[in-house]
Amino acid sequence: MSDINELYQQVILDHNKNPRNFGELNDATNVAGGHNPLCGDHIDVYARVEGGIIKEIKFKGAGCAISKASASIMTTLVIGKTISQTKKLFDDFIHIVTTDINSKCDTLELGKLAVFCGVREFPARVKCASLAWHTMMKAIQKSDSDNRKISTEDLVAAS
Amino acid sequence: MIKSVSFEKTIFNDIPQKFEAGTTNISGAIGLAKAIEFIRSVGFENIAAHEAKLLTYATEVLSTVKDLRIIGTAQHKSAVLSFVLDCAHPHDVGTLLDTEGVAVRTGQHCTEPLMRRFGIPAATRASFAIYNTFEEIDVLHKSLLKVVKLFS
């Protein structure tokens, strides 16, 4: 049961029950929607970006404990960060959940992201954990395209 | 398959050989025959009766789990039991049951409109067959109680 306890840590269970920054943001400058058609998870991310800094971020949606907790923790980590700092966090996060299961999880180095180390043991749950992060990146990245919807099935080739 | 091949002309074999290149699925055909033999030796009625008993027992036992709602309650349905828990999403239920040695199907079951009809995001489904036992349903029950404990 050690692996399963690693996945469902108290922090994850807490954020699942009491998600932070949950809801819509009326004065959002950047919005994106994310969807996993295989399991039905969907999420909307609202951000207010000013001067290249994420001033405020919220999310709304339905999904499993892993996806909801991941979205909640993600919002707490990127508030006040610049776009490039957020990109770095995103890359670190994706690395943590997809890296080799035998590689060490350095909690000191990873800080709050370390809570996601358990996800790599459950390949079927990686998409649950990463949906919010991909959607957030889609929202904050400047693009001429109006397509602000993202699907986990489009990410296979990209990731 | 072909009848003959040269640089000038290829003559394909007659149907069905024409469409069966390479070695035919011999082991598959033998396996299928053995499976039919086995099913016949047990008897369709006996299989149906066993599955019905398992379904009745599982429905009784799982109905006692707090805040568990059974989805799909038609009489004479197949030996499948779909359900949702108030406290946990089916994917979390599936992962936790898996670690207890119980394999279930989770998600939308390729029936997104039906999920909407029931007003649920997804469901967990246990299915019972000739090789399942009553003890296994007890394991499912106990594991579900653990899930409820973790999430509430």
Side-chain angles (χ1 to χ4, degrees):
Chain A
M1 284 291 282
S2 68
D3 291 350
I4 200 77
N5 291 336
E6 177 81 7
L7 181 65
Y8 291 103
Q9 295 181 39
Q10 277 307 318
V11 180
I12 300 273
L13 294 174
D14 173 47
H15 277 265
N16 173 49
K17 254 190 173 173
N18 310 298
R20 323 293 199 268
N21 303 305
F22 190 79
E24 283 182 41
L25 199 59
N26 290 330
D27 55 350
T29 56
N30 299 55
V31 180
H35 180 50
N36 183 341
L38 296 186
C39 69
D41 284 3
H42 64 88
I43 182 174
D44 290 314
V45 170
Y46 308 83
R48 186 162 59 81
V49 183
E50 281 170 13
I53 290 168
I54 300 174
K55 296 284 188 183
E56 227 176 325
I57 185 163
K58 283 190 162 194
F59 78 100
K60 205 178 74 175
C64 63
I66 304 300
S67 77
K68 206 195 280 179
S70 180
S72 173
I73 293 166
M74 181 264 295
T75 61
T76 65
L77 292 178
V78 302
I79 283 182
K81 296 282 196 301
T82 65
I83 301 297
S84 60
Q85 285 171 327
T86 304
K87 175 85 175 68
K88 167 85 171 56
L89 262 178
F90 171 80
D91 290 340
D92 289 348
F93 168 82
I94 296 296
H95 177 73
I96 287 168
V97 296
T98 57
T99 192
D100 187 83
I101 59 166
N102 296 318
S103 65
K104 219 174 146 250
C105 187
D106 190 335
T107 46
L108 273 181
E109 191 192 325
L110 298 173
K112 283 185 176 172
L113 284 177
V115 72
F116 296 111
C117 283
V119 176
R120 67 181 71 155
E121 307 261 355
F122 299 86
R125 309 305 301 277
V126 171
K127 282 181 183 175
C128 308
S130 55
L131 179 63
W133 289 78
H134 281 294
T135 310
M136 178 271 295
M137 285 305 288
K138 183 90 178 166
I140 63 166
Q141 271 166 352
K142 281 201 162 57
S143 153
D144 295 334
S145 159
D146 286 328
N147 182 12
R148 292 287 183 184
K149 289 246 180 262
I150 194 165
S151 165
T152 50
E153 296 318 286
D154 302 333
L155 301 169
V156 178
S159 59
Chain B
M1 289 292 285
I2 43 80
K3 278 183 174 164
S4 74
V5 176
S6 68
F7 284 112
E8 291 73 35
K9 192 175 173 63
T10 297
I11 304 170
F12 290 98
N13 204 334
D14 301 326
I15 290 172
Q17 287 88 345
K18 174 179 177 170
F19 299 119
E20 295 189 351
T23 309
T24 46
N25 189 7
I26 298 165
S27 56
I30 295 171
L32 178 62
K34 278 287 166 196
I36 293 170
E37 220 173 81
F38 170 73
I39 294 285
R40 278 192 175 150
S41 75
V42 182
F44 279 106
E45 279 174 16
N46 291 332
I47 293 172
H50 180 67
E51 288 182 359
K53 275 185 210 156
L54 289 173
L55 180 63
T56 305
Y57 181 62
T59 307
E60 267 173 35
V61 171
L62 263 57
S63 298
T64 65
V65 176
K66 193 173 159 273
D67 296 329
L68 183 146
R69 176 181 157 207
I70 291 174
I71 305 294
T73 51
Q75 287 182 335
H76 312 303
K77 67 168 179 173
S78 303
V80 292
L81 194 58
S82 301
F83 58 90
V84 288
L85 283 171
D86 279 354
C87 63
H89 189 281
H91 285 127
D92 299 313
V93 175
T95 298
L96 287 155
L97 290 183
D98 182 33
T99 61
E100 298 287 319
V102 181
V104 290
R105 164 85 150 92
T106 62
Q108 300 191 322
H109 310 277
C110 302
T111 57
E112 209 175 325
L114 185 65
M115 296 295 114
R116 278 207 200 109
R117 165 71 178 77
F118 281 114
I120 53 176
T124 306
R125 182 179 70 208
S127 46
F128 310 106
I130 184 173
Y131 42 76
N132 288 119
T133 64
F134 292 89
E135 290 73 32
E136 286 169 342
I137 293 169
D138 292 335
V139 175
L140 169 66
H141 177 223
K142 271 185 201 150
S143 306
L144 281 172
L145 295 180
K146 283 189 188 173
V147 175
V148 172
K149 197 177 165 200
L150 182 71
F151 280 97
S152 47

